[in-house]
Amino acid sequence: MRRVWHGNYVKYMEDGRESFGRHYPGCDYTVMMETGITAPVYEVKYRCLAPLEMNDVAVIHTTYVPRRGARLDYRYQIFRERDGALCLEGSTIQLFIDQNGEQMLEEPFFFADWKKKMGF
């Protein structure tokens, strides 16, 4: 089909989250690993609006969406670099899990600090 397989878009969203964490440190995977707290993906939603084709460069815009509770919400837009076409709109929800494997009901300390620093 010479088009990107739809399942790869989930990986592109992951790439967007990792890049976001590098640009806005304090609530990134490195911090989570240091604290033993994880944030697995709970929900993924996306709509494919235009295809990415072989050798296309994807430009990923990732935005944190403030919500109450011990969760990370992100929105994504993926564009085709060659013509600026919007190819995907999506979102993810991640839930914080403590060192014992239990879902956290309160925000981890580093997340609360990060939100305050970022003005959320």
Side-chain angles (χ1 to χ4, degrees):
M1 290 177 28
R2 295 186 307 226
R3 294 185 175 188
V4 170
W5 176 62
H6 67 278
N8 285 336
Y9 290 106
V10 175
K11 174 63 176 133
Y12 298 160
M13 289 188 280
E14 174 78 13
D15 292 343
R17 285 193 304 277
E18 289 177 2
S19 178
F20 184 93
R22 286 190 300 275
H23 284 92
Y24 304 100
C27 189
D28 53 87
Y29 292 133
T30 303
V31 172
M32 289 184 214
M33 289 178 62
E34 290 170 355
T35 62
I37 295 172
T38 60
V41 173
Y42 170 74
E43 179 179 281
V44 177
K45 292 181 180 180
Y46 65 91
R47 293 181 323 147
C48 296
L49 305 170
L52 284 170
E53 298 178 355
M54 290 176 57
N55 299 318
D56 276 341
V57 174
V59 178
I60 306 162
H61 293 197
T62 305
T63 305
Y64 168 72
V65 181
R67 299 273 194 252
R68 295 178 71 179
R71 58 190 274 170
L72 287 165
D73 291 55
Y74 290 101
R75 276 194 319 255
Y76 309 88
Q77 291 181 310
I78 299 178
F79 297 88
R80 228 176 10 225
E81 185 182 58
R82 66 180 156 89
D83 62 1
L86 177 60
C87 297
L88 177 133
E89 290 182 322
S91 63
T92 57
I93 298 171
Q94 295 170 261
L95 302 178
F96 285 108
I97 305 297
D98 68 17
Q99 299 90 336
N100 298 317
E102 299 293 324
Q103 182 179 342
M104 298 177 71
L105 301 178
E106 301 293 325
E107 297 177 344
F109 69 92
F110 64 85
F111 182 51
D113 292 346
W114 177 81
K115 288 191 341 182
K116 186 175 181 181
K117 181 177 88 173
M118 298 300 295
F120 294 117

